[in-house]
Amino acid sequence: MTAHVLAGALADDGRRRIFAAIVLGATSATEVAERTGLPARVVLTGVRRLTDAGLVTGADGALAPDEASLRAATRDSGPAVDAEPGVDPVLRTFLRAGVLVSLPAQRGRRRVVLAHIAEQSFEPGTRYPERAVDDALKPWCAAGGSDHATLRRYLIDEQLLTREHGVYQLL
């Protein structure tokens, strides 16, 4: 589990409440539902997501925080900045080791990230079929910060790529 996965798993208020109830001693979905006041369906979905993320274990049918996994996540997490000095702070924030960790909501920042991705992925004057564009964008999405179709759409919306009859080109 990475710190990014940990943060994503706890980004939802309901999952935080579910996790807190388990940390405070709830050992079943029924107990979690009683303590949190959440519907059983929401609790079951939340427990599954927390288990998939490695935060909760259901060993022997009893829910418990996965303390070993949590310790490993904090031990394995290096400093947030792994880029070299002089790199744009926006890129340091939204890219880790050449992978998009999240897409900025603010248009100006999003354009900086998209321009970097376009510049690194495509050659000026070269025409690309859609499949080649998707293949070039998929590695940027390995961390789950976005998907290649969304990136492609934003690159076109921001006029960093043009699309004509299914053929793309860097501007």
Side-chain angles (χ1 to χ4, degrees), residues 147-167:
D147 63 271
H148 67 280
T150 300
L151 281 181
R152 186 181 66 224
R153 185 177 64 248
Y154 275 127
L155 288 167
I156 292 165
D157 290 348
E158 292 293 334
Q159 299 178 349
L160 296 165
L161 284 182
T162 61
R163 176 180 57 202
E164 189 174 321
H165 304 295
V167 177

PDB file of all heavy atoms in Angstrom, residues 147-167:
ATOM      1  N   ASP A 147      -7.591   8.829 -16.310  1.00  0.00           N
ATOM      2  CA  ASP A 147      -7.546   7.771 -17.310  1.00  0.00           C
ATOM      3  C   ASP A 147      -7.145   8.381 -18.650  1.00  0.00           C
ATOM      4  O   ASP A 147      -7.241   9.593 -18.849  1.00  0.00           O
ATOM      5  CB  ASP A 147      -8.893   7.040 -17.407  1.00  0.00           C
ATOM      6  CG  ASP A 147      -9.997   7.958 -17.865  1.00  0.00           C
ATOM      7  OD1 ASP A 147     -10.628   8.597 -16.994  1.00  0.00           O
ATOM      8  OD2 ASP A 147     -10.228   8.044 -19.088  1.00  0.00           O
ATOM      9  N   HIS A 148      -6.667   7.549 -19.557  1.00  0.00           N
ATOM     10  CA  HIS A 148      -6.118   8.045 -20.813  1.00  0.00           C
ATOM     11  C   HIS A 148      -7.159   8.779 -21.666  1.00  0.00           C
ATOM     12  O   HIS A 148      -6.841   9.749 -22.338  1.00  0.00           O
ATOM     13  CB  HIS A 148      -5.457   6.913 -21.609  1.00  0.00           C
ATOM     14  CG  HIS A 148      -6.414   5.880 -22.105  1.00  0.00           C
ATOM     15  ND1 HIS A 148      -6.893   4.868 -21.307  1.00  0.00           N
ATOM     16  CD2 HIS A 148      -6.999   5.733 -23.302  1.00  0.00           C
ATOM     17  CE1 HIS A 148      -7.728   4.136 -22.016  1.00  0.00           C
ATOM     18  NE2 HIS A 148      -7.815   4.628 -23.226  1.00  0.00           N
ATOM     19  N   ALA A 149      -8.414   8.354 -21.614  1.00  0.00           N
ATOM     20  CA  ALA A 149      -9.452   9.018 -22.405  1.00  0.00           C
ATOM     21  C   ALA A 149      -9.697  10.444 -21.898  1.00  0.00           C
ATOM     22  O   ALA A 149      -9.883  11.377 -22.684  1.00  0.00           O
ATOM     23  CB  ALA A 149     -10.745   8.209 -22.377  1.00  0.00           C
ATOM     24  N   THR A 150      -9.675  10.612 -20.579  1.00  0.00           N
ATOM     25  CA  THR A 150      -9.840  11.947 -20.000  1.00  0.00           C
ATOM     26  C   THR A 150      -8.666  12.835 -20.380  1.00  0.00           C
ATOM     27  O   THR A 150      -8.853  13.993 -20.767  1.00  0.00           O
ATOM     28  CB  THR A 150      -9.955  11.857 -18.460  1.00  0.00           C
ATOM     29  OG1 THR A 150     -11.087  11.044 -18.145  1.00  0.00           O
ATOM     30  CG2 THR A 150     -10.087  13.224 -17.826  1.00  0.00           C
ATOM     31  N   LEU A 151      -7.446  12.300 -20.291  1.00  0.00           N
ATOM     32  CA  LEU A 151      -6.269  13.083 -20.689  1.00  0.00           C
ATOM     33  C   LEU A 151      -6.371  13.499 -22.153  1.00  0.00           C
ATOM     34  O   LEU A 151      -6.101  14.648 -22.503  1.00  0.00           O
ATOM     35  CB  LEU A 151      -4.990  12.273 -20.487  1.00  0.00           C
ATOM     36  CG  LEU A 151      -4.445  12.175 -19.084  1.00  0.00           C
ATOM     37  CD1 LEU A 151      -3.163  11.364 -19.069  1.00  0.00           C
ATOM     38  CD2 LEU A 151      -4.200  13.543 -18.501  1.00  0.00           C
ATOM     39  N   ARG A 152      -6.741  12.551 -23.012  1.00  0.00           N
ATOM     40  CA  ARG A 152      -6.857  12.842 -24.452  1.00  0.00           C
ATOM     41  C   ARG A 152      -7.879  13.959 -24.678  1.00  0.00           C
ATOM     42  O   ARG A 152      -7.625  14.908 -25.418  1.00  0.00           O
ATOM     43  CB  ARG A 152      -7.256  11.564 -25.194  1.00  0.00           C
ATOM     44  CG  ARG A 152      -7.258  11.726 -26.704  1.00  0.00           C
ATOM     45  CD  ARG A 152      -7.681  10.442 -27.395  1.00  0.00           C
ATOM     46  NE  ARG A 152      -9.065  10.155 -27.069  1.00  0.00           N
ATOM     47  CZ  ARG A 152      -9.537   8.969 -26.730  1.00  0.00           C
ATOM     48  NH1 ARG A 152      -8.750   7.927 -26.657  1.00  0.00           N
ATOM     49  NH2 ARG A 152     -10.813   8.814 -26.445  1.00  0.00           N
ATOM     50  N   ARG A 153      -9.009  13.875 -24.003  1.00  0.00           N
ATOM     51  CA  ARG A 153     -10.053  14.890 -24.159  1.00  0.00           C
ATOM     52  C   ARG A 153      -9.553  16.256 -23.689  1.00  0.00           C
ATOM     53  O   ARG A 153      -9.747  17.269 -24.364  1.00  0.00           O
ATOM     54  CB  ARG A 153     -11.309  14.482 -23.382  1.00  0.00           C
ATOM     55  CG  ARG A 153     -12.478  15.442 -23.593  1.00  0.00           C
ATOM     56  CD  ARG A 153     -13.736  14.997 -22.870  1.00  0.00           C
ATOM     57  NE  ARG A 153     -13.568  14.994 -21.426  1.00  0.00           N
ATOM     58  CZ  ARG A 153     -13.548  13.895 -20.653  1.00  0.00           C
ATOM     59  NH1 ARG A 153     -13.697  12.715 -21.186  1.00  0.00           N
ATOM     60  NH2 ARG A 153     -13.381  13.990 -19.350  1.00  0.00           N
ATOM     61  N   TYR A 154      -8.883  16.311 -22.531  1.00  0.00           N
ATOM     62  CA  TYR A 154      -8.346  17.578 -22.040  1.00  0.00           C
ATOM     63  C   TYR A 154      -7.274  18.138 -22.980  1.00  0.00           C
ATOM     64  O   TYR A 154      -7.196  19.347 -23.184  1.00  0.00           O
ATOM     65  CB  TYR A 154      -7.762  17.423 -20.633  1.00  0.00           C
ATOM     66  CG  TYR A 154      -8.772  17.556 -19.526  1.00  0.00           C
ATOM     67  CD1 TYR A 154      -8.899  16.572 -18.560  1.00  0.00           C
ATOM     68  CD2 TYR A 154      -9.590  18.678 -19.415  1.00  0.00           C
ATOM     69  CE1 TYR A 154      -9.812  16.695 -17.524  1.00  0.00           C
ATOM     70  CE2 TYR A 154     -10.495  18.812 -18.389  1.00  0.00           C
ATOM     71  CZ  TYR A 154     -10.609  17.815 -17.444  1.00  0.00           C
ATOM     72  OH  TYR A 154     -11.514  17.953 -16.423  1.00  0.00           O
ATOM     73  N   LEU A 155      -6.431  17.275 -23.532  1.00  0.00           N
ATOM     74  CA  LEU A 155      -5.403  17.752 -24.463  1.00  0.00           C
ATOM     75  C   LEU A 155      -6.038  18.411 -25.689  1.00  0.00           C
ATOM     76  O   LEU A 155      -5.528  19.410 -26.202  1.00  0.00           O
ATOM     77  CB  LEU A 155      -4.483  16.600 -24.888  1.00  0.00           C
ATOM     78  CG  LEU A 155      -3.527  16.100 -23.810  1.00  0.00           C
ATOM     79  CD1 LEU A 155      -2.901  14.775 -24.220  1.00  0.00           C
ATOM     80  CD2 LEU A 155      -2.453  17.138 -23.514  1.00  0.00           C
ATOM     81  N   ILE A 156      -7.138  17.878 -26.124  1.00  0.00           N
ATOM     82  CA  ILE A 156      -7.854  18.467 -27.265  1.00  0.00           C
ATOM     83  C   ILE A 156      -8.565  19.745 -26.834  1.00  0.00           C
ATOM     84  O   ILE A 156      -8.482  20.773 -27.511  1.00  0.00           O
ATOM     85  CB  ILE A 156      -8.844  17.450 -27.872  1.00  0.00           C
ATOM     86  CG1 ILE A 156      -8.051  16.309 -28.518  1.00  0.00           C
ATOM     87  CG2 ILE A 156      -9.759  18.117 -28.888  1.00  0.00           C
ATOM     88  CD1 ILE A 156      -8.878  15.101 -28.832  1.00  0.00           C
ATOM     89  N   ASP A 157      -9.244  19.703 -25.684  1.00  0.00           N
ATOM     90  CA  ASP A 157      -9.958  20.882 -25.188  1.00  0.00           C
ATOM     91  C   ASP A 157      -9.020  22.068 -24.979  1.00  0.00           C
ATOM     92  O   ASP A 157      -9.385  23.215 -25.227  1.00  0.00           O
ATOM     93  CB  ASP A 157     -10.682  20.576 -23.873  1.00  0.00           C
ATOM     94  CG  ASP A 157     -11.869  19.643 -24.055  1.00  0.00           C
ATOM     95  OD1 ASP A 157     -12.288  19.402 -25.202  1.00  0.00           O
ATOM     96  OD2 ASP A 157     -12.371  19.139 -23.024  1.00  0.00           O
ATOM     97  N   GLU A 158      -7.815  21.781 -24.502  1.00  0.00           N
ATOM     98  CA  GLU A 158      -6.834  22.845 -24.252  1.00  0.00           C
ATOM     99  C   GLU A 158      -6.042  23.195 -25.509  1.00  0.00           C
ATOM    100  O   GLU A 158      -5.102  23.978 -25.457  1.00  0.00           O
ATOM    101  CB  GLU A 158      -5.878  22.436 -23.125  1.00  0.00           C
ATOM    102  CG  GLU A 158      -6.527  22.351 -21.771  1.00  0.00           C
ATOM    103  CD  GLU A 158      -6.985  23.690 -21.230  1.00  0.00           C
ATOM    104  OE1 GLU A 158      -6.424  24.735 -21.612  1.00  0.00           O
ATOM    105  OE2 GLU A 158      -7.932  23.703 -20.427  1.00  0.00           O
ATOM    106  N   GLN A 159      -6.403  22.589 -26.614  1.00  0.00           N
ATOM    107  CA  GLN A 159      -5.783  22.840 -27.920  1.00  0.00           C
ATOM    108  C   GLN A 159      -4.283  22.550 -27.919  1.00  0.00           C
ATOM    109  O   GLN A 159      -3.494  23.246 -28.571  1.00  0.00           O
ATOM    110  CB  GLN A 159      -6.080  24.260 -28.397  1.00  0.00           C
ATOM    111  CG  GLN A 159      -7.559  24.486 -28.566  1.00  0.00           C
ATOM    112  CD  GLN A 159      -7.920  25.888 -28.987  1.00  0.00           C
ATOM    113  OE1 GLN A 159      -7.083  26.777 -28.971  1.00  0.00           O
ATOM    114  NE2 GLN A 159      -9.166  26.078 -29.374  1.00  0.00           N
ATOM    115  N   LEU A 160      -3.905  21.532 -27.182  1.00  0.00           N
ATOM    116  CA  LEU A 160      -2.528  21.056 -27.212  1.00  0.00           C
ATOM    117  C   LEU A 160      -2.370  19.975 -28.273  1.00  0.00           C
ATOM    118  O   LEU A 160      -1.289  19.775 -28.814  1.00  0.00           O
ATOM    119  CB  LEU A 160      -2.123  20.525 -25.839  1.00  0.00           C
ATOM    120  CG  LEU A 160      -2.101  21.597 -24.739  1.00  0.00           C
ATOM    121  CD1 LEU A 160      -2.066  20.962 -23.366  1.00  0.00           C
ATOM    122  CD2 LEU A 160      -0.930  22.539 -24.944  1.00  0.00           C
ATOM    123  N   LEU A 161      -3.459  19.269 -28.561  1.00  0.00           N
ATOM    124  CA  LEU A 161      -3.535  18.300 -29.663  1.00  0.00           C
ATOM    125  C   LEU A 161      -4.712  18.683 -30.548  1.00  0.00           C
ATOM    126  O   LEU A 161      -5.703  19.222 -30.054  1.00  0.00           O
ATOM    127  CB  LEU A 161      -3.803  16.883 -29.138  1.00  0.00           C
ATOM    128  CG  LEU A 161      -2.706  16.072 -28.479  1.00  0.00           C
ATOM    129  CD1 LEU A 161      -3.233  14.686 -28.096  1.00  0.00           C
ATOM    130  CD2 LEU A 161      -1.489  15.932 -29.356  1.00  0.00           C
ATOM    131  N   THR A 162      -4.578  18.389 -31.823  1.00  0.00           N
ATOM    132  CA  THR A 162      -5.726  18.546 -32.721  1.00  0.00           C
ATOM    133  C   THR A 162      -6.208  17.151 -33.103  1.00  0.00           C
ATOM    134  O   THR A 162      -5.432  16.193 -33.095  1.00  0.00           O
ATOM    135  CB  THR A 162      -5.357  19.305 -34.017  1.00  0.00           C
ATOM    136  OG1 THR A 162      -4.353  18.571 -34.712  1.00  0.00           O
ATOM    137  CG2 THR A 162      -4.881  20.703 -33.700  1.00  0.00           C
ATOM    138  N   ARG A 163      -7.474  17.058 -33.444  1.00  0.00           N
ATOM    139  CA  ARG A 163      -8.048  15.794 -33.886  1.00  0.00           C
ATOM    140  C   ARG A 163      -8.842  16.058 -35.150  1.00  0.00           C
ATOM    141  O   ARG A 163      -9.712  16.934 -35.176  1.00  0.00           O
ATOM    142  CB  ARG A 163      -8.969  15.218 -32.813  1.00  0.00           C
ATOM    143  CG  ARG A 163      -9.679  13.950 -33.273  1.00  0.00           C
ATOM    144  CD  ARG A 163     -10.588  13.390 -32.220  1.00  0.00           C
ATOM    145  NE  ARG A 163     -11.571  14.400 -31.819  1.00  0.00           N
ATOM    146  CZ  ARG A 163     -12.226  14.396 -30.680  1.00  0.00           C
ATOM    147  NH1 ARG A 163     -12.008  13.448 -29.797  1.00  0.00           N
ATOM    148  NH2 ARG A 163     -13.103  15.324 -30.385  1.00  0.00           N
ATOM    149  N   GLU A 164      -8.525  15.297 -36.161  1.00  0.00           N
ATOM    150  CA  GLU A 164      -9.264  15.417 -37.410  1.00  0.00           C
ATOM    151  C   GLU A 164      -9.385  14.040 -38.028  1.00  0.00           C
ATOM    152  O   GLU A 164      -8.373  13.400 -38.336  1.00  0.00           O
ATOM    153  CB  GLU A 164      -8.537  16.358 -38.372  1.00  0.00           C
ATOM    154  CG  GLU A 164      -9.357  16.690 -39.597  1.00  0.00           C
ATOM    155  CD  GLU A 164      -8.680  17.747 -40.468  1.00  0.00           C
ATOM    156  OE1 GLU A 164      -8.092  18.688 -39.906  1.00  0.00           O
ATOM    157  OE2 GLU A 164      -8.753  17.596 -41.673  1.00  0.00           O
ATOM    158  N   HIS A 165     -10.614  13.545 -38.156  1.00  0.00           N
ATOM    159  CA  HIS A 165     -10.905  12.225 -38.720  1.00  0.00           C
ATOM    160  C   HIS A 165     -10.143  11.107 -38.005  1.00  0.00           C
ATOM    161  O   HIS A 165      -9.576  10.232 -38.613  1.00  0.00           O
ATOM    162  CB  HIS A 165     -10.580  12.201 -40.219  1.00  0.00           C
ATOM    163  CG  HIS A 165     -11.288  13.265 -41.000  1.00  0.00           C
ATOM    164  ND1 HIS A 165     -12.658  13.296 -41.146  1.00  0.00           N
ATOM    165  CD2 HIS A 165     -10.807  14.360 -41.652  1.00  0.00           C
ATOM    166  CE1 HIS A 165     -12.990  14.360 -41.861  1.00  0.00           C
ATOM    167  NE2 HIS A 165     -11.887  15.019 -42.196  1.00  0.00           N
ATOM    168  N   GLY A 166     -10.083  11.195 -36.679  1.00  0.00           N
ATOM    169  CA  GLY A 166      -9.450  10.157 -35.891  1.00  0.00           C
ATOM    170  C   GLY A 166      -7.925  10.187 -35.881  1.00  0.00           C
ATOM    171  O   GLY A 166      -7.285   9.276 -35.397  1.00  0.00           O
ATOM    172  N   VAL A 167      -7.355  11.263 -36.427  1.00  0.00           N
ATOM    173  CA  VAL A 167      -5.896  11.411 -36.453  1.00  0.00           C
ATOM    174  C   VAL A 167      -5.542  12.613 -35.598  1.00  0.00           C
ATOM    175  O   VAL A 167      -6.135  13.683 -35.717  1.00  0.00           O
ATOM    176  CB  VAL A 167      -5.370  11.582 -37.890  1.00  0.00           C
ATOM    177  CG1 VAL A 167      -3.864  11.797 -37.899  1.00  0.00           C
ATOM    178  CG2 VAL A 167      -5.746  10.369 -38.744  1.00  0.00           C
TER     179      VAL A 167
END
